[in-house]
């Protein structure tokens, strides 16, 4: 019976640690030469729409740091950047149950306690701007001239939010760092 309780506790601990882990995924256009991108800008309406909350400011600061670490320089949107950055987020809740008590074969005494889990999704999109750097220099190639901004890189992070703002800020920082480890810049 104690082996059954130990196994149950082990399964619950593994399940809860897997559910609480930060999930990161990155996709990008492999045909793009990312070393050509040297400047970036936040989309202007992105700043007006989401720039006032504390967590959106944390996202911006961490993305700016990560982009600059990759050798990109931030410019204003009217300075025709190579990349346009857009960030969006979504939050959802789900109910999960935690089991406690003793669970035997013949006499199950225990309790299921429901609790809500807040999960947040952060999506970072990098678009190739309409007028790339090479076009401004007069050495553009056909593939460099785009009529509309083209999505070239996307990072998605999912994590559990808490009531602790410091923990949430740390989660955002780690998520952005993990995403940009997969930004394709080659020496």
């Amino acid at each position: 019976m104690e082996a059954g309780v130990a196994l149950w506790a082990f399964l619950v601990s593994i399940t809860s640690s897997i559910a609480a882990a930060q999930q990161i995924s990155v996709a990008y256009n492999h045909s793009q030469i990312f070393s050509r991108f040297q400047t970036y800008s936040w989309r202007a309406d992105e700043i007006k729409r989401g720039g006032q909350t504390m967590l959106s400011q944390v996202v911006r600061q961490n993305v700016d740091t990560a982009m600059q670490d990759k050798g990109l320089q931030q410019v204003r949107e009217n300075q025709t950047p190579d990349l346009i950055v857009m960030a969006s987020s979504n939050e959802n809740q789900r109910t999960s149950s935690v089991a406690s008590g003793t669970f035997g074969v013949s006499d199950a005494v225990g309790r299921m306690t429901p609790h809500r889990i807040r999960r947040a999704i952060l999506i970072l999109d990098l678009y190739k701007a309409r007028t790339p750097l090479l076009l401004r220099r007069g050495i553009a190639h056909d593939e460099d001239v785009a009529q509309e901004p083209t999505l070239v890189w996307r990072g998605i992070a999912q994590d559990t939010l808490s009531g602790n703002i410091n923990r949430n800020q740390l989660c955002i920082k780690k998520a952005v760092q993990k995403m940009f480890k997969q930004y394709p810049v080659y020496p």
Side-chain angles (χ1 to χ4, degrees):
M1 183 156 153
E2 288 181 342
V5 171
L7 178 62
W8 178 258
F10 176 73
L11 290 175
V12 168
S13 69
I14 287 180
T15 305
S16 63
S17 66
I18 290 172
Q22 195 175 59
Q23 299 173 7
I24 306 293
S25 61
V26 172
Y28 62 93
N29 182 338
H30 293 270
S31 67
Q32 291 294 317
I33 301 171
F34 282 79
S35 60
R36 288 184 180 174
F37 303 133
Q38 297 177 0
T39 59
Y40 75 96
S41 176
W42 287 88
R43 187 169 152 186
D45 64 345
E46 185 81 11
I47 297 168
K48 293 176 191 170
R49 185 169 33 99
Q52 301 305 317
T53 69
M54 183 180 290
L55 288 180
S56 64
Q57 290 173 359
V58 170
V59 168
R60 281 191 56 129
Q61 290 169 354
N62 284 286
V63 170
D64 285 342
T65 299
M67 302 261 312
Q68 291 164 9
D69 288 347
K70 294 295 181 181
L72 292 150
Q73 179 184 1
Q74 184 176 8
V75 297
R76 294 183 184 176
E77 193 171 17
N78 63 359
Q79 293 175 300
T80 58
D82 300 321
L83 295 172
I84 302 292
V85 180
M86 291 180 58
S88 58
S89 63
N90 188 5
E91 182 182 327
N92 59 34
Q93 292 186 13
R94 68 181 174 103
T95 303
S96 180
S97 298
V98 175
S100 60
T102 59
F103 297 93
V105 175
S106 62
D107 58 342
V109 178
R111 179 174 19 153
M112 297 294 280
T113 307
H115 67 287
R116 292 182 186 235
I117 299 174
R118 290 175 47 210
R119 303 246 332 140
I121 299 171
L122 171 64
I123 301 172
L124 294 176
D125 290 332
L126 301 181
Y127 288 88
K128 184 176 177 181
R130 289 184 186 100
T131 310
L133 177 67
L134 296 175
L135 182 62
R136 290 195 311 266
R137 290 184 180 166
I139 54 171
H141 301 284
D142 289 339
E143 70 271 7
D144 293 326
V145 181
Q147 296 300 318
E148 293 295 321
T150 306
L151 181 65
V152 294
W153 186 91
R154 172 174 276 178
I156 301 173
Q158 298 181 46
D159 202 355
T160 304
L161 291 177
S162 72
N164 183 335
I165 190 72
N166 292 328
R167 183 194 175 282
N168 292 339
Q169 289 177 352
L170 182 61
C171 287
I172 290 170
K173 181 178 181 177
K174 287 181 180 179
V176 171
Q177 287 173 345
K178 288 178 184 178
M179 281 187 225
F180 277 93
K181 279 185 181 178
Q182 299 180 51
Y183 183 83
V185 173
Y186 306 104

